[in-house]
Amino acid sequence: MDSVPVKYLDYDSLHNFFNSVPLPTDRIQAEYIWIGGSGMDTRSKTRTLPISEVKSLDDLPEWNFDGSSTGQAPGERSDVVIKARAWFRDPFRGGNNVLVMCDCYEMSGKAIPSNTRAPAVEVFEKVKAEEYWFGIEQEYTIFQEDGKTPFGWPKGGFPGPQGPYYCSAGTSNAFGRCVPEALYRACLYAGIKIAGQNAEVMPGQWEYQIGPCESISIGGTSSPPVCVVSVWCCECVVCVFVQPLILFCPLDHMWVSRYILHRVSEIFRVVVSFDPKPIEGDWNGAGCHTNVSTKAMRAEGGLKVITEAMPKLQAKHAEHIAVYGQGNERRLTGRHETQSMHKFSFGVADRGASIRIPYSTAQEGKGYFEDRRPASNIDPYTVAARIAQTV
């Protein structure tokens, strides 16, 4: 029988300690977050800053970390510089403390190879006249502490077949709801515009959606993000209006929401997985469906523009698949609401296609399309930039 090492202390005692110790009024804790060397892991560390010196994003100083310990630099040149790009209220510490999303640079100022945000900036600068909207749906799976057994599943066994779990309620069907509920509340507090959530088809699997929001610019803002309501949304996903200089709002928000999800998993002593096919067999995989619209697609006659984008996407299918998540070949099999990764197809209301054109878009003659190929472990910066380059 496998033994599970002790990884957690008593969270209740820590919570009680925090409640008994007042927060300072002259200093804040800033949790600097960055993407690690795997391209999927989030790393972070904390620094204390005088609250009087932090009035805007631009006031957050550059920092550095040991890149040789994250797979992002050699030991002889180990310092990696991190620069603040977005900030949020800290739902774990409260008060005036903040979470800071950063990207990574060499000491010379050059973006390191794993910094995918910097090249995405260049892509979107070239297409800013298109006024892209993106909608991002993040699926994930909750595992028990052993990292092998999905939450709610019997160890070494299986629950009943898929069917009763999607958007379910009740102890026999909805497993681990405390995790998505805590994530939801933490994101709302942080200023991340989480728009919704639902239990997914595979038991123990959940989904949340980010957006709509319109907040910080690349140049910074005077306060943490403020999100606004968009007039455009779609079934089970909210689409994000991306304007020049604020286009990274949904992408930064997605990365920080993932960080928060991992922090929440520490509290509940579970493991969160973004594996695109966490359990082999007759079980749905996990995706990160990406919904796309341009100004022309939203205008009268937009359906024609959407249809004209399909051959472009088909011609670049292999290039998209290459950046649509590691292990995605285990998910894109042509089963479980996917098209085979070796084929490209599109259709109205077709969840078995590579690209779904919603029924509402077909009826109204304008709107958006859903790219169903991205896996749950995608890099949102890379995927959004790849779509913008193709469409």
Side-chain angles (χ1 to χ4, degrees):
M1 185 175 185
D2 294 339
S3 61
V4 179
V6 176
K7 301 177 183 178
Y8 306 95
L9 300 177
D10 184 359
Y11 180 78
D12 288 338
S13 295
L14 179 63
H15 181 70
N16 292 335
F17 173 77
F18 278 155
N19 284 341
S20 66
V21 178
L23 291 167
T25 58
D26 60 337
R27 288 162 294 166
I28 63 168
Q29 290 172 279
E31 191 75 17
Y32 278 51
I33 304 165
W34 68 93
I35 302 166
S38 73
M40 189 60 203
D41 56 319
T42 50
R43 307 291 184 113
S44 73
K45 62 178 187 174
T46 315
R47 70 183 301 171
T48 303
L49 296 170
I51 194 169
S52 61
E53 297 179 10
V54 183
K55 301 297 184 183
S56 73
L57 184 68
D58 292 336
D59 294 330
L60 293 167
E62 294 181 4
W63 206 8
N64 65 77
F65 66 90
D66 173 14
S68 68
S69 296
T70 63
Q72 293 171 285
E76 65 273 16
R77 297 189 308 278
S78 62
D79 281 6
V80 175
V81 177
I82 44 178
K83 300 182 181 183
R85 298 306 188 193
W87 63 336
F88 306 85
R89 292 181 290 273
D90 187 336
F92 302 103
R93 296 186 174 113
N96 292 313
N97 301 304
V98 293
L99 304 178
V100 184
M101 186 65 200
C102 305
D103 61 354
C104 303
Y105 295 83
E106 297 177 358
M107 291 177 287
S108 65
K110 179 182 178 182
I112 67 173
S114 61
N115 180 349
T116 55
R117 192 185 193 279
V121 170
E122 298 177 4
V123 170
F124 279 103
E125 179 62 27
K126 294 176 181 177
V127 300
K128 62 184 179 182
E130 300 296 324
E131 297 186 9
Y132 271 89
W133 293 19
F134 288 98
I136 306 174
E137 311 169 49
Q138 177 68 70
E139 295 178 346
Y140 62 95
T141 308
I142 305 171
F143 280 80
Q144 296 179 33
E145 192 179 348
D146 62 9
K148 300 176 182 178
T149 308
F151 199 82
W153 291 41
K155 288 194 175 184
F158 297 91
Q162 295 184 153
Y165 308 109
Y166 173 69
C167 295
S168 62
T171 55
S172 60
N173 295 326
F175 306 144
R177 189 184 295 273
C178 287
V179 172
E181 287 294 330
L183 169 69
Y184 208 136
R185 182 66 62 87
C187 284
L188 288 174
Y189 177 88
I192 291 172
K193 188 60 187 221
I194 181 170
Q197 69 178 25
N198 57 271
E200 267 301 331
V201 177
M202 191 187 93
Q205 192 176 92
W206 293 78
E207 175 192 302
Y208 66 93
Q209 306 92 31
I210 294 294
C213 64
E214 185 176 72
S215 58
I216 63 172
S217 69
I218 292 173
T221 183
S222 59
S223 60
V226 176
C227 299
V228 299
V229 175
S230 169
V231 297
W232 191 78
C233 63
C234 54
E235 179 187 3
C236 294
V237 63
V238 176
C239 300
V240 180
F241 184 25
V242 182
Q243 294 180 342
L245 297 183
I246 57 170
L247 56 126
F248 291 97
C249 171
L251 312 181
D252 294 331
H253 281 215
M254 178 57 75
W255 272 113
V256 177
S257 72
R258 287 173 170 177
Y259 171 81
I260 291 174
L261 179 55
H262 282 304
R263 290 284 301 273
V264 166
S265 75
E266 295 176 19
I267 297 172
F268 291 104
R269 304 186 182 187
V270 295
V271 176
V272 167
S273 171
F274 295 107
D275 190 298
K277 186 69 174 179
I279 300 295
E280 297 298 327
D282 194 17
W283 305 99
N284 274 34
C288 199
H289 301 156
T290 303
N291 297 264
V292 185
S293 180
T294 64
K295 182 178 180 180
M297 293 177 188
R298 297 188 296 276
E300 294 300 322
L303 181 59
K304 182 175 182 292
V305 179
I306 292 171
T307 304
E308 290 172 347
M310 296 302 109
K312 299 177 184 178
L313 289 164
Q314 183 173 16
K316 299 288 186 179
H317 177 64
E319 295 179 25
H320 282 250
I321 290 295
V323 298
Y324 274 16
Q326 296 181 11
N328 208 14
E329 71 280 355
R330 294 182 285 115
R331 168 180 164 263
L332 296 182
T333 62
R335 300 183 62 209
H336 304 113
E337 300 180 276
T338 71
Q339 175 58 284
S340 167
M341 68 178 295
H342 303 294
K343 298 179 181 179
F344 178 89
S345 64
F346 68 95
V348 175
D350 187 353
R351 283 179 166 77
S354 308
I355 305 291
R356 178 179 71 94
I357 298 174
Y359 175 73
S360 59
T361 294
Q363 286 291 100
E364 296 174 14
K366 58 184 178 181
Y368 69 99
F369 66 86
E370 176 193 43
D371 192 339
R372 298 181 58 81
R373 297 171 293 174
S376 51
N377 59 0
I378 60 165
D379 174 1
Y381 298 134
T382 301
V383 168
R386 179 70 267 179
I387 291 172
Q389 286 176 307
T390 298
V391 176

